[in-house]
Amino acid sequence: MEKIAIIGAGLVGSLQAIILAKKGYKVDVYERRMDMRKADISAGRSINLALSNRGWKAIELAGITDEIMKMAIPMYGRMMHPIEGETFFQQYGKDGEAIYSVSRGGLNQQLMNSAEALENVDFHFDMFCLDVDLETNEVEFLNTKTDEIIKHKPDRIFATDGAFSAIRSKLQKTDRFNYEQMYLEHGYKELYIPATETGVYQIDKNALHIWPRGNYMLIALANEDGSFTCTLFFPFEGEKSFESLKTKADVQAFFSEIFPDAIALMPSLIDDYFTNPTSSLVTVRCSPWNHADKILMMGDASHAIVPFYGQGMNSGFEDCSIFNEIFEKHNRNWNISFQEFSKTRKKDADAISNLAIQNFVEMRDLVADESFLLRKKIEKKIYKKHPQKWMPLYSQVTFSHIPYSEALANGKRQEKIMDQIMAKENIQQNWDTLEIEQEILRLVDEK
Amino acid sequence: MEKIAIIGAGLVGSLQAIILAKKGYKVDVYERRMDMRKADISAGRSINLALSNRGWKAIELAGITDEIMKMAIPMYGRMMHPIEGETFFQQYGKDGEAIYSVSRGGLNQQLMNSAEALENVDFHFDMFCLDVDLETNEVEFLNTKTDEIIKHKPDRIFATDGAFSAIRSKLQKTDRFNYEQMYLEHGYKELYIPATETGVYQIDKNALHIWPRGNYMLIALANEDGSFTCTLFFPFEGEKSFESLKTKADVQAFFSEIFPDAIALMPSLIDDYFTNPTSSLVTVRCSPWNHADKILMMGDASHAIVPFYGQGMNSGFEDCSIFNEIFEKHNRNWNISFQEFSKTRKKDADAISNLAIQNFVEMRDLVADESFLLRKKIEKKIYKKHPQKWMPLYSQVTFSHIPYSEALANGKRQEKIMDQIMAKENIQQNWDTLEIEQEILRLVDEK
């Protein structure tokens, strides 16, 4: 029986443990932190997760859909909060299609419980990865509770140890390893909208709330207890920035002016603002993702992305289901599967990584733009009438299993078509005509 | 008196030591390797250096032009070696303009000697940098000869420790540090053309010899002793690649077919090919280059580039002269100077980094292309007649002190103009007409 080590008991590592254990392998999962099930989960830097179709597919593969669905709150669209005037709703996809707000901590605990329930899975907590010998595959850990050095020599290593992966740091020093870490000029800070005293949601729980403000934005996703976790995405430096809001009065004045309907729901705003950390937003790209047939990286370890397409976890989970397909296709040949996964999956990770950066502009700015909204309305109409000919990019990414790289390419083609359509005179008046519809279909068939 | 530590006694570190010491600072230079002046220089991975105007300017600033000129061999152009037919010569710039072949080892030793002749400079060899404390600025070294741990706490640190900088590794783990390392699909291997038995050059010493072969190439630069150092730039993998040439017979057959006039001059080819390492080609980009007013990176540590524009050393040396200008402009204010250098110089490093990658295609492929040669001929004519209106990109980069980023932008504008000119009917016949000349000048003025 082959011994597998998974480094990192986060979302992707815990899910991968279940999938591999179900094939009969002996799986040991090593986690740097303590067992989160025995501790308060550290709050203050947990951008809420939006689980969508790609994530669900891998959860299905692990056989734990029902358990996860119980803790998930469907969000059918974006609720826009302009600075003045009424909120308005933008449906994400077709009727019934939703992304699901889940608690990172709750989901991770459920994945750990499901993995640990399998007899061939063992979790090892407080295990700080010190080194991996790339010749022998021996991994060295410091047990941070006992100060013991622990050595383990698995047959295969799955490195799911996140954006600051220790295993990747080691690989980075090998020849011809390509690596990039790139930070946005924006950071984020977690804030909070509590439930009412009777435990009721203060705003619609079935929407992802956005306060788009051009260069920055606030968002809110529902928690199970009636509260919302909010995240302010804001420049680190500049005229309006984390740096410029120095005092309690600065924060109070800024939120009162810019987020008037939100501040009314946030009694602990000032405390939260100064207590919670300001965190940075990193994109990580690298290649190759494997070291021979010994080590394979997955999830944030090989492709950390910014959160603006809601695909960080989903792309990590999709790594698990796609690796599974490749692995079974090659009759569980580790060497071929590691190589093929590394080679074929990277282009999709690169695509979603770029889409996530682009979507920040869409979320914080374009969603409040009239021409953009008309464009989306036209696309939606064509999608509804001709679903074989046109699926909006957001739906391709969120509600389909089309490879991200194909979705990106399709999206670019569609954007060019829509640029032509939007450049037409009187499109504001004529958008709903048969002529425009036929013009779009003609352009689609032309490509 | 402020204490300055320079980490890395390579070309840039040694030059910077001279420049700073002449201002009166106490300078300690720490080098990982042994003193190269007391050892045979390791051969086999020393792509020959081509010193050009930007490098000379910094050498002038250090006051050692005469010493360096003695060891430099001017190269006035490229000598092209086609697979069949005669060699032909392409002049680099105006009459008398040259780039200079220098030995990396010889140059480095001269720089060390000049630095060490100053009473306030000390070199410390065999000092492996283990760590730097980013709070206190204390640097920890392992003396690899004595196994002692040495600690030193300078006021300022200049990190000139190369493409695999230990100081940068430390900075990479700080928040919001952007970093990229990217390898080409090609590697390189050093080869050798000896002098004749009477010590005479077998081919023209005043040219940079190129055997362009589409996807790969061989080059040769003269040494002072009558020999040439050759470098084969070749794909790691593929049909014709380092991987595909497995046996002595493979190498012999390949060179006989592809580099027939070169192999005739290379008696030790087979030995050299199998003895010398195959090395990779990395581009490194990062930001910021400074850590507060404590640490500043220069040269390959902050911007390693591929060698195809001959600007690796030159851009590193230009770092020294540009830092000097900024530093004096701000009355030797470290804080402002570190910040300004990091902010303003990076765009130029990015520009030359991109130009260097692009120039690989030009060197190995386009230089053998007729349309490309005509384009260069037209540019040269315009440059000669209207030097205020048109300077070819190569001259801007190599023979001017125009910031690299401006050269890149100018080059793009010129490329667009030349695209229009080359698209004209019968340009092969009409290129030397007044009409074409006036058309180009009109397009230049239009921009």
Side-chain angles (χ1 to χ4, degrees):
Chain A
M1 179 53 51
E2 287 205 77
K3 288 181 300 176
I4 291 169
I6 292 179
I7 315 293
L11 297 167
V12 174
S14 300
L15 182 66
Q16 182 68 351
I18 299 172
I19 294 170
L20 290 173
K22 287 193 169 180
K23 296 185 195 296
Y25 300 109
K26 172 72 184 79
V27 178
D28 286 283
V29 187
Y30 294 85
E31 167 58 40
R32 186 169 58 84
R33 282 163 294 196
M34 68 177 300
D35 188 344
M36 58 158 67
R37 294 166 298 185
K38 294 173 185 159
D40 268 357
I41 298 157
S42 72
R45 45 192 307 169
S46 69
I47 299 182
N48 269 46
L49 299 172
L51 190 51
S52 56
N53 290 32
R54 293 170 201 264
W56 284 115
K57 182 174 175 181
I59 286 171
E60 180 77 40
L61 177 66
I64 50 174
T65 307
D66 292 347
E67 291 86 330
I68 307 300
M69 192 53 94
K70 272 182 211 146
M71 60 177 73
I73 301 171
M75 299 181 288
Y76 298 100
R78 297 165 171 166
M79 184 67 79
M80 312 297 301
H81 296 250
I83 201 160
E84 289 182 331
E86 295 293 295
T87 59
F88 60 97
F89 184 76
Q90 293 175 340
Q91 189 169 314
Y92 278 131
K94 291 188 287 198
D95 290 349
E97 280 181 339
I99 64 177
Y100 292 79
S101 178
V102 287
S103 136
R104 172 185 282 271
L107 176 58
N108 210 335
Q109 293 184 27
Q110 179 60 53
L111 290 168
M112 286 177 175
N113 288 339
S114 300
E116 221 167 33
L118 302 168
E119 61 177 0
N120 48 341
V121 177
D122 286 298
F123 279 80
H124 311 270
F125 293 97
D126 309 293
M127 290 291 200
F128 183 87
C129 178
L130 293 172
D131 200 11
V132 53
D133 185 322
L134 297 176
E135 295 295 319
T136 65
N137 225 34
E138 186 171 74
V139 198
E140 195 178 289
F141 300 95
L142 171 69
N143 183 322
T144 53
K145 271 203 164 161
T146 64
D147 275 345
E148 270 177 298
I149 298 288
I150 313 283
K151 295 183 179 189
H152 179 57
K153 206 168 144 181
D155 299 301
R156 318 287 160 192
I157 295 171
F158 284 84
T160 53
D161 50 347
F164 303 99
S165 168
I167 304 286
R168 193 193 60 227
S169 281
K170 183 78 183 186
L171 293 174
Q172 194 200 310
K173 296 194 172 69
T174 60
D175 195 28
R176 299 181 70 205
F177 187 83
N178 295 302
Y179 175 70
E180 183 181 7
Q181 63 185 44
M182 184 181 65
Y183 287 85
L184 293 192
E185 310 270 312
H186 290 66
Y188 70 91
K189 189 183 281 288
E190 200 170 294
L191 300 169
Y192 191 65
I193 294 176
T196 64
E197 277 179 28
T198 53
V200 175
Y201 291 96
Q202 297 200 63
I203 47 179
D204 183 359
K205 72 168 181 170
N206 292 124
L208 192 156
H209 295 264
I210 310 185
W211 289 257
R213 294 296 184 267
N215 189 35
Y216 48 88
M217 68 177 179
L218 178 72
I219 67 168
L221 284 84
N223 297 315
E224 286 182 273
D225 67 357
S227 67
F228 286 81
T229 299
C230 306
T231 312
L232 174 67
F233 295 97
F234 203 41
F236 277 105
E237 287 106 24
E239 202 196 323
K240 298 283 182 196
S241 67
F242 284 119
E243 194 188 53
S244 79
L245 300 187
K246 290 193 193 337
T247 66
K248 291 181 180 183
D250 291 343
V251 175
Q252 187 74 32
F254 175 74
F255 274 77
S256 300
E257 182 193 342
I258 306 293
F259 304 115
D261 65 329
I263 195 173
L265 311 173
M266 301 166 94
S268 60
L269 169 67
I270 301 296
D271 270 2
D272 293 344
Y273 188 92
F274 288 100
T275 306
N276 288 341
T278 304
S279 305
S280 54
L281 293 159
V282 71
T283 298
V284 171
R285 297 186 179 97
C286 65
S287 74
W289 291 356
N290 67 312
H291 178 71
D293 60 350
K294 294 300 178 192
I295 301 176
L296 188 65
M297 292 186 282
M298 281 184 167
D300 285 358
S302 46
H303 54 89
I305 66 178
V306 293
F308 306 109
Y309 227 116
Q311 289 294 316
M313 168 187 60
N314 288 294
S315 64
F317 281 6
E318 196 181 43
D319 284 355
C320 298
S321 60
I322 285 187
F323 177 76
N324 182 66
E325 284 167 24
I326 291 171
F327 192 48
E328 293 301 330
K329 183 177 76 183
H330 294 299
N331 300 313
R332 305 191 180 179
N333 179 311
W334 293 104
N335 188 33
I336 295 173
S337 302
F338 276 23
Q339 282 193 45
E340 182 169 319
F341 181 77
S342 174
K343 274 189 190 155
T344 62
R345 179 72 174 152
K346 177 168 167 55
K347 63 179 184 313
D348 293 314
D350 286 343
I352 191 60
S353 147
N354 290 332
L355 285 166
I357 291 169
Q358 290 165 27
N359 215 45
F360 187 23
V361 179
E362 180 166 330
M363 280 182 87
R364 74 188 195 217
D365 195 358
L366 296 180
V367 284
D369 179 275
E370 279 201 19
S371 160
F372 178 81
L373 295 177
L374 175 59
R375 188 185 275 248
K376 293 289 153 182
K377 197 152 67 175
I378 298 171
E379 281 198 63
K380 198 169 174 182
K381 173 189 158 180
I382 303 296
Y383 178 37
K384 202 161 186 175
K385 290 188 74 169
H386 309 279
Q388 314 83 343
K389 299 234 172 197
W390 192 285
M391 186 187 285
L393 178 56
Y394 187 88
S395 292
Q396 293 182 56
V397 170
T398 307
F399 301 122
S400 91
H401 302 284
I402 298 168
Y404 289 125
S405 56
E406 286 178 31
L408 177 64
N410 293 338
K412 280 185 182 160
R413 273 195 299 274
Q414 291 174 343
E415 193 183 2
K416 276 186 195 157
I417 292 174
M418 288 307 297
D419 285 347
Q420 285 177 257
I421 297 298
M422 296 301 292
K424 288 189 180 297
E425 269 186 69
N426 300 322
I427 184 70
Q428 284 76 9
Q429 287 77 52
N430 303 337
W431 72 270
D432 204 14
T433 60
L434 187 64
E435 193 196 329
I436 292 292
E437 180 180 333
Q438 284 173 341
E439 173 75 3
I440 294 174
L441 295 177
R442 194 183 61 72
L443 289 167
V444 170
D445 288 335
E446 223 174 53
K447 301 272 160 173
Chain B
M1 180 52 53
E2 289 205 76
K3 289 180 300 176
I4 292 170
I6 293 179
I7 315 294
L11 297 167
V12 175
S14 301
L15 183 66
Q16 182 70 352
I18 300 173
I19 294 170
L20 291 173
K22 287 194 167 181
K23 296 185 195 294
Y25 299 108
K26 172 71 185 82
V27 178
D28 287 283
V29 187
Y30 294 86
E31 168 58 40
R32 185 169 60 84
R33 282 161 295 195
M34 67 178 299
D35 188 346
M36 60 158 66
R37 294 166 299 184
K38 296 175 184 157
D40 270 356
I41 298 156
S42 70
R45 44 192 308 170
S46 70
I47 298 183
N48 269 47
L49 297 172
L51 190 50
S52 56
N53 291 33
R54 293 170 202 264
W56 284 115
K57 182 175 176 182
I59 286 170
E60 181 78 38
L61 178 66
I64 50 173
T65 308
D66 291 348
E67 291 87 331
I68 308 299
M69 192 52 93
K70 274 183 210 145
M71 61 176 71
I73 301 170
M75 299 182 288
Y76 298 99
R78 297 164 171 165
M79 184 67 80
M80 312 297 301
H81 296 251
I83 201 159
E84 288 181 332
E86 294 294 294
T87 59
F88 60 98
F89 183 76
Q90 294 174 340
Q91 190 170 311
Y92 278 132
K94 292 188 287 200
D95 290 349
E97 281 181 338
I99 63 177
Y100 292 80
S101 178
V102 287
S103 138
R104 171 185 284 270
L107 177 57
N108 209 336
Q109 293 183 28
Q110 180 60 54
L111 290 168
M112 286 176 175
N113 288 339
S114 300
E116 221 167 33
L118 302 168
E119 61 178 1
N120 49 339
V121 177
D122 286 299
F123 279 80
H124 310 270
F125 293 97
D126 310 293
M127 290 289 198
F128 184 87
C129 177
L130 292 171
D131 200 10
V132 54
D133 185 321
L134 298 176
E135 296 294 320
T136 64
N137 225 33
E138 185 170 74
V139 198
E140 193 177 290
F141 300 96
L142 171 69
N143 184 321
T144 54
K145 270 201 164 161
T146 64
D147 275 346
E148 269 176 296
I149 298 289
I150 314 282
K151 294 184 179 187
H152 180 54
K153 205 167 145 181
D155 299 302
R156 317 289 159 190
I157 296 170
F158 284 84
T160 53
D161 50 344
F164 303 99
S165 169
I167 303 286
R168 192 193 60 227
S169 282
K170 183 77 183 189
L171 292 173
Q172 194 200 310
K173 296 194 171 70
T174 60
D175 195 27
R176 301 182 65 204
F177 187 83
N178 295 301
Y179 175 71
E180 183 181 7
Q181 64 184 43
M182 184 182 65
Y183 287 86
L184 293 191
E185 309 268 310
H186 291 67
Y188 70 91
K189 190 184 281 286
E190 200 170 295
L191 299 168
Y192 190 66
I193 294 176
T196 64
E197 276 178 29
T198 55
V200 174
Y201 291 96
Q202 298 200 63
I203 47 179
D204 184 358
K205 72 167 179 170
N206 293 123
L208 192 156
H209 295 264
I210 310 185
W211 291 258
R213 294 297 184 266
N215 188 36
Y216 48 89
M217 68 176 178
L218 179 71
I219 68 169
L221 285 83
N223 299 314
E224 287 181 273
D225 67 357
S227 68
F228 286 80
T229 299
C230 308
T231 312
L232 173 67
F233 295 97
F234 203 41
F236 278 104
E237 287 107 24
E239 203 196 324
K240 298 284 182 195
S241 67
F242 285 118
E243 193 187 56
S244 79
L245 300 187
K246 291 193 190 345
T247 67
K248 293 181 179 184
D250 290 342
V251 175
Q252 187 75 32
F254 175 74
F255 273 77
S256 301
E257 184 193 341
I258 306 293
F259 305 113
D261 64 331
I263 195 173
L265 310 172
M266 302 166 94
S268 58
L269 169 68
I270 300 298
D271 269 3
D272 293 343
Y273 189 92
F274 289 101
T275 306
N276 289 340
T278 304
S279 304
S280 54
L281 292 158
V282 72
T283 297
V284 170
R285 296 187 181 101
C286 66
S287 74
W289 291 356
N290 68 311
H291 178 72
D293 59 350
K294 294 299 177 195
I295 302 176
L296 187 66
M297 292 186 282
M298 281 185 167
D300 286 359
S302 45
H303 54 91
I305 66 180
V306 293
F308 306 109
Y309 227 116
Q311 289 292 315
M313 169 187 57
N314 288 293
S315 64
F317 280 7
E318 196 182 44
D319 284 355
C320 299
S321 59
I322 285 187
F323 177 76
N324 182 66
E325 284 168 24
I326 290 171
F327 192 47
E328 293 301 331
K329 183 178 77 183
H330 294 300
N331 299 312
R332 305 192 179 178
N333 179 312
W334 294 104
N335 189 33
I336 296 174
S337 302
F338 277 24
Q339 280 192 42
E340 182 169 319
F341 182 78
S342 173
K343 274 187 190 157
T344 61
R345 179 73 175 150
K346 178 168 166 56
K347 63 180 183 314
D348 294 314
D350 286 344
I352 191 59
S353 146
N354 290 332
L355 284 166
I357 292 169
Q358 289 165 26
N359 215 45
F360 187 24
V361 180
E362 181 167 330
M363 280 182 85
R364 75 189 194 217
D365 194 0
L366 295 181
V367 284
D369 179 274
E370 280 201 21
S371 161
F372 178 81
L373 295 177
L374 176 59
R375 185 185 277 248
K376 294 287 155 185
K377 198 153 64 174
I378 299 171
E379 281 197 62
K380 199 170 175 182
K381 174 189 156 180
I382 302 295
Y383 177 38
K384 203 162 187 176
K385 290 188 74 170
H386 308 279
Q388 313 84 342
K389 299 235 172 195
W390 191 286
M391 185 187 283
L393 178 57
Y394 186 88
S395 292
Q396 293 181 58
V397 170
T398 307
F399 301 122
S400 92
H401 301 285
I402 297 169
Y404 289 125
S405 56
E406 286 177 31
L408 177 64
N410 293 337
K412 279 184 183 161
R413 273 194 300 274
Q414 291 174 342
E415 194 183 4
K416 276 185 196 159
I417 292 174
M418 290 306 297
D419 284 348
Q420 284 177 260
I421 298 298
M422 296 300 292
K424 290 188 177 296
E425 267 186 69
N426 301 322
I427 184 69
Q428 284 76 8
Q429 288 77 50
N430 304 337
W431 71 270
D432 204 10
T433 59
L434 186 65
E435 192 195 329
I436 291 292
E437 181 181 333
Q438 284 173 342
E439 171 77 3
I440 293 174
L441 295 177
R442 194 183 62 71
L443 289 168
V444 170
D445 289 336
E446 222 174 55
K447 299 271 160 179

